[in-house]
Amino acid sequence: MSSHALSHLQALEAEAIHVMREVAAERERPVLLFSGGKDSIVLVRLAEKAFRPGRFPFPLMHVDTGHNFAEVIAFRDRMADELGERLVVASVQESIDRGRVVEETGPRASRNRLQTTTLLDALAEYGFDAAFGGARRDEERARAKERILSFRDDFGGWDPKAQRPELWNLYNTRVRRGENVRAFPLSNWTELDVWQYILQEQIEVPSIYLAHERRVFRRDGMLYADSEFIARDARDSDPFRASVRYRTVGDMSCTGAVASEASTLEQVVAEIAATDVTERGETRADDRVSESAMEDRKVAGYF
Amino acid sequence: MSTLLRLATAGSVDDGKSTLIGRLLHDSKAILADQYADLNGRDGELDLSRLTDGLKAEREQGITIDVAYRYFATPNRDYILADTPGHVQYTRNMVTGASTADVAIVLVDARHGVVEQTKRHAFIAALLGIPHLVVAVNKMDLVGFSEEVFDGIVRDFCGFRRRLSSPDVAFIPISALNGDNVVDRSEAMPWYGGAPLLAHLEAIDPADDRNLTDLRFPVQLVIRSEGNDFRGYAGQVASGVVRPGDRVRILPSGVESVVASVETFDGPLTEAVPPQSVTVRLADDVDASRGDVIVHADGDAAAVRELEADVCWFAERPLRPGARYLLKHLTQTVDVVVDEIRDLLDVHTLDRHAPPTELGLNDIGRVRLRTRRPLVADPYASNRATGAFILIDETSNDTVAGGMVSST
């Protein structure tokens, strides 16, 4: 290897910083979608690398389903505070209260799908014309097809058959009023890359990513938190205590935990390197709805 | 330390591309159990194309429409694999996947040999300046692992190749289905003296292909902080090396200064190389902004307003002389007018035909362009970063062409 070779994490980092700077330079009102999950935490670190010692040229925005993990919400608020950057919270509960969406009912109800409307309303309300997201192409096969800069029409929708060609590192960020682009600086990162980067950078993550004791119950082979937001039914197991951690953090109603003893970042990296189940396959019920669940959600405007 | 290698694969519909990708991912343990379970087609047989055909329309039609990006790793390095569609009508998607590749893998069906598609794929790879080309002659099991068949294909390809400028070409006989010469050396082809595909890829060092001579640092944005007097130029090193103390020139203005420091969030660097994203501070309070390019003061970079380039045309509406577009090059977007179409390339014979009146969808041709503001461009053949541009239709905002500067 020549002396000037970059490590794969350095190369991914350089690419992501370039993407963030391009979008920030060319779009008038970008926003960074920040959920308190590991991918958006890495996005925030990359934004620090791209724009410090200046301020971020965009606020952070969380689309809060109201059914999120308390540990993650506390982390989100503390992190925004420490960063000294503005945090906008778009609330699914408010969308329900205003009658924009109707809450699902029944034992397997989830607020996950309702997020799309809240997101699109918030983009329109604040006039955001570009939204950074922490999505990765390795997550799911429809994501594997998406460009780093994903053009969305004035309904927020994605047309997978009419994507803009995306050559070299020349990103076309142009949109008309009402349209927006979703920018995915982590497109080329894998779940393992994200954890290796978190370890390398010693970035703090919400405690639920590390092994902890929690009351859970088993549903469809997944472990769900025993919570007031999720009604159990006859098909679910009784709650029991287990040592678990989370691979993704999202709406509690569709995010499962994994049995784990990994309580340090080193142990998490080792566990992810050895796993034989994908992140979304293991812990995300929303992708199991149909063969093209993710594609369908993205066509409708999901990030 | 693991490095990154970017691959692009291209092949015709039945060349076994999906099988090869499936094999690479499977043998490097990048297909996990739940994905594996999902690869069963309706008839219950393992269908590896389901791995790369991520869109509903692709699964319905059984064809690859758009690029799929896949990731796998060996103990030595991490791979980004762009699986690009082979059909002529999806040339723009092939170009999308191939533009950033270090290595192109072109699949040839051993039974059919070098066909028109092979030539087109190899040509596009060469046109895009992909430094390494691998011709993977697949389905060797169906031709009795015949050395003669393989040699014949190599000969055919070399006859054609004389007209390409691919610096490094390797021929590897494989059977993706059985795994011969993919990860492990094939016992069925003892006559083959080269490395299996993966070992060949492991030995390629993309860092060797970078231009470390000619500094080109396009300014993306100016970073300032309120608390102190920090003022720096943020950007990604396109080529060359930048170090504190370097005497530099800002183009197009030509103003000179000295690099005071090369900053990152993690502290200053003694040097930055491509493709690092850094912030350069200059010793003098000069006027530089997004779109400007910082070069070494003694380098021969120049700003131009006229250039010739090969363009791949992506739009239904044809390119005609006199048309105006937006041209994005490095970090600036400028108005451009097409002065002239010089010729049309036949991507099968590589002949350049007399000037056509227009370039249609998926055509590749040479054009002469005039820009409203100057560009710091180099020929693509000598600098992949500063020789590339895209054209954008100002009305639709569509990306209508990818371009490679041939001369300035």
Side-chain angles (χ1 to χ4, degrees), chain B residues 45 62 79 83 121 174 193 207 220 230 243 274 319 333-334 373:
Chain B
E45 287 205 7
Y79 291 90
D83 173 30
H121 295 153
I174 65 170
Q220 271 188 298
F230 186 96
R243 297 183 181 90
L319 171 83
T333 304
V334 302
R373 279 182 285 140

Side-chain angles (χ1 to χ4, degrees), chain A residues 1-15 17-22 24-26 45 48-55 57 137-142 144-147 158 160-176 179 187-190 193 196 201 247 275-282 291-292 295-296, chain B residues 1-4 6 32-35 38 50 52-59 64-71 77-78 80 92-93 95-96 99-100 128 205 207-208 210 212 220-221 223-226 230 234-236 265-266 271 273 275-279 290 314 326 328-331 333 380 388-390 392 394-399 402-404:
Chain A
M1 293 289 159
S2 66
S3 61
H4 290 122
L6 303 188
S7 74
H8 87 279
L9 288 181
Q10 285 176 311
L12 292 173
E13 179 192 74
E15 177 182 75
I17 292 171
H18 174 78
V19 173
M20 296 187 95
R21 287 171 170 173
E22 278 303 282
E26 293 199 343
R45 171 55 55 91
E48 291 183 281
K49 297 213 179 196
F51 303 111
R52 293 293 185 235
R55 285 179 59 84
R137 285 170 174 153
D138 82 322
E139 285 177 75
E140 203 274 341
R141 64 180 163 204
K145 291 278 174 180
E146 195 165 18
R147 304 280 191 253
W158 180 56
K161 285 201 264 189
Q163 301 197 76
R164 288 175 178 169
E166 190 165 271
L167 284 72
W168 301 288
N169 61 354
L170 299 170
Y171 301 102
N172 177 353
T173 65
R174 294 176 66 87
V175 292
R176 287 181 227 165
E179 300 169 341
S187 285
N188 286 320
W189 298 48
T190 64
D193 294 331
Q196 286 176 336
E201 299 281 315
R247 284 176 78 178
T275 185
D276 67 350
V277 187
T278 64
E279 169 185 346
R280 299 197 77 92
E282 186 161 57
E291 186 176 76
S292 55
E295 183 177 341
D296 295 342
Chain B
M1 183 181 79
S2 158
T3 54
L4 197 62
R6 295 174 192 255
L32 301 184
D34 55 320
Q35 289 173 312
D38 197 35
R50 290 172 66 84
T52 48
D53 290 343
L55 300 176
K56 232 189 293 188
E58 294 176 317
R59 293 193 294 278
T64 306
I65 294 171
D66 210 332
V67 191
Y69 295 87
R70 292 291 162 192
Y71 304 84
R77 76 165 17 140
D78 287 63
I80 298 177
R92 65 183 208 166
N93 294 337
V95 172
T96 285
S99 65
T100 54
L128 286 166
D205 184 358
D208 288 344
R210 290 175 303 175
L212 293 177
Q220 271 188 298
L221 41 94
I223 290 182
R224 272 172 296 183
S225 75
E226 291 154 8
F230 186 96
Q236 185 173 29
F265 181 70
D266 305 301
E271 62 175 25
V273 299
Q276 280 179 292
S277 287
V278 296
T279 301
R290 175 170 171 83
F314 299 146
L326 293 171
K328 182 168 184 182
H329 170 258
L330 298 177
T331 56
T333 304
Y380 188 81
F389 61 85
I390 56 172
I392 299 168
E394 207 169 358
T395 325
S396 67
N397 286 331
D398 288 339
T399 303
M404 288 146 285

Side-chain angles (χ1 to χ4, degrees), chain B residues 12-332:
Chain B
S12 311
V13 181
D14 299 316
D15 287 340
K17 190 157 52 88
S18 303
T19 314
L20 175 64
I21 292 167
R23 170 68 54 189
L24 280 171
L25 296 180
H26 177 260
D27 289 3
S28 58
K29 299 185 174 53
I31 305 179
L32 301 184
D34 55 320
Q35 289 173 312
Y36 213 79
D38 197 35
L39 295 179
N40 291 315
R42 292 221 173 81
D43 50 5
E45 287 205 7
L46 198 62
D47 178 4
L48 286 163
S49 68
R50 290 172 66 84
L51 199 63
T52 48
D53 290 343
L55 300 176
K56 232 189 293 188
E58 294 176 317
R59 293 193 294 278
E60 280 163 11
Q61 298 172 44
I63 56 164
T64 306
I65 294 171
D66 210 332
V67 191
Y69 295 87
R70 292 291 162 192
Y71 304 84
F72 64 98
T74 64
N76 295 324
R77 76 165 17 140
D78 287 63
Y79 291 90
I80 298 177
L81 188 152
D83 173 30
T84 71
H87 283 282
V88 180
Q89 70 257 44
Y90 302 119
T91 295
R92 65 183 208 166
N93 294 337
M94 179 181 170
V95 172
T96 285
S99 65
T100 54
D102 303 303
V103 184
I105 302 174
V106 174
L107 266 101
V108 174
D109 186 324
R111 297 169 302 174
H112 305 138
V114 175
V115 295
E116 298 288 283
Q117 290 259 53
T118 318
K119 294 181 186 176
R120 194 169 58 84
H121 295 153
F123 172 67
I124 291 173
L127 188 74
L128 286 166
I130 301 177
H132 307 276
L133 179 67
V134 176
V135 180
V137 181
N138 191 24
K139 306 196 182 180
M140 287 300 293
D141 51 315
L142 298 182
V143 295
F145 298 104
S146 161
E147 186 177 7
E148 286 70 34
V149 170
F150 177 73
D151 286 347
I153 291 170
V154 172
R155 231 176 4 254
D156 280 359
F157 191 91
C158 288
F160 159 77
R161 185 207 157 184
R162 272 193 284 279
R163 308 190 57 185
L164 298 178
S165 48
S166 271
D168 171 40
V169 184
F171 297 89
I172 305 178
I174 65 170
S175 165
L177 194 65
N178 302 330
D180 291 87
N181 285 337
V182 177
V183 173
D184 299 314
R185 179 170 293 284
S186 169
E187 289 177 16
M189 290 175 276
W191 47 264
Y192 172 68
L197 177 61
L198 191 61
H200 179 77
L201 298 175
E202 296 272 279
I204 291 172
D205 184 358
D208 288 344
D209 303 317
R210 290 175 303 175
N211 178 334
L212 293 177
T213 314
D214 310 303
L215 175 65
R216 301 288 186 266
F217 185 77
V219 176
Q220 271 188 298
L221 41 94
V222 181
I223 290 182
R224 272 172 296 183
S225 75
E226 291 154 8
N228 51 39
D229 62 348
F230 186 96
R231 178 184 168 84
Y233 301 102
Q236 185 173 29
V237 184
S239 65
V241 183
V242 60
R243 297 183 181 90
D246 284 354
R247 178 121 209 110
V248 292
R249 201 148 43 101
I250 299 157
L251 292 178
S253 71
V255 172
E256 293 198 8
S257 184
V258 171
V259 175
S261 63
V262 178
E263 306 278 351
T264 70
F265 181 70
D266 305 301
L269 302 179
T270 55
E271 62 175 25
V273 299
Q276 280 179 292
S277 287
V278 296
T279 301
V280 169
R281 301 184 78 183
L282 299 179
D284 306 288
D285 199 8
V286 292
D287 176 22
S289 55
R290 175 170 171 83
D292 290 346
V293 182
I294 296 172
V295 303
H296 279 144
D298 54 3
D300 61 357
V304 296
R305 288 192 51 206
E306 286 188 25
L307 46 95
E308 272 193 33
D310 286 319
V311 295
C312 305
W313 191 249
F314 299 146
E316 298 281 351
R317 208 156 62 117
L319 171 83
R320 294 200 179 101
R324 294 171 63 124
Y325 295 96
L326 293 171
L327 181 151
K328 182 168 184 182
H329 170 258
L330 298 177
T331 56
Q332 74 169 336

Side-chain angles (χ1 to χ4, degrees), chain A residues 163-285:
Chain A
Q163 301 197 76
R164 288 175 178 169
E166 190 165 271
L167 284 72
W168 301 288
N169 61 354
L170 299 170
Y171 301 102
N172 177 353
T173 65
R174 294 176 66 87
V175 292
R176 287 181 227 165
R177 186 175 287 275
E179 300 169 341
N180 66 82
V181 284
R182 310 290 167 85
F184 301 118
L186 304 184
S187 285
N188 286 320
W189 298 48
T190 64
E191 184 189 15
L192 184 59
D193 294 331
V194 165
W195 280 113
Q196 286 176 336
Y197 192 73
I198 288 170
L199 173 63
Q200 172 189 298
E201 299 281 315
Q202 291 291 308
I203 305 172
E204 191 189 345
V205 293
S207 57
I208 64 171
Y209 277 117
L210 303 174
H212 58 287
E213 285 256 329
R214 177 183 290 270
R215 273 174 67 83
V216 293
F217 64 91
R218 195 173 289 283
R219 165 185 291 179
D220 303 337
M222 282 169 54
L223 296 174
Y224 285 84
D226 182 26
S227 144
E228 57 180 311
F229 300 133
I230 318 173
R232 282 185 292 115
D233 63 29
R235 291 170 289 172
D236 300 327
S237 78
D238 288 331
F240 58 95
R241 290 194 76 78
S243 175
V244 297
R245 62 173 214 91
Y246 284 85
R247 284 176 78 178
T248 67
V249 302
D251 190 86
M252 290 184 82
S253 62
C254 64
T255 305
V258 295
S260 171
E261 303 286 340
S263 57
T264 66
L265 291 177
E266 285 85 355
Q267 288 167 351
V268 170
V269 168
E271 191 175 275
I272 296 299
T275 185
D276 67 350
V277 187
T278 64
E279 169 185 346
R280 299 197 77 92
E282 186 161 57
T283 66
R284 292 304 287 261

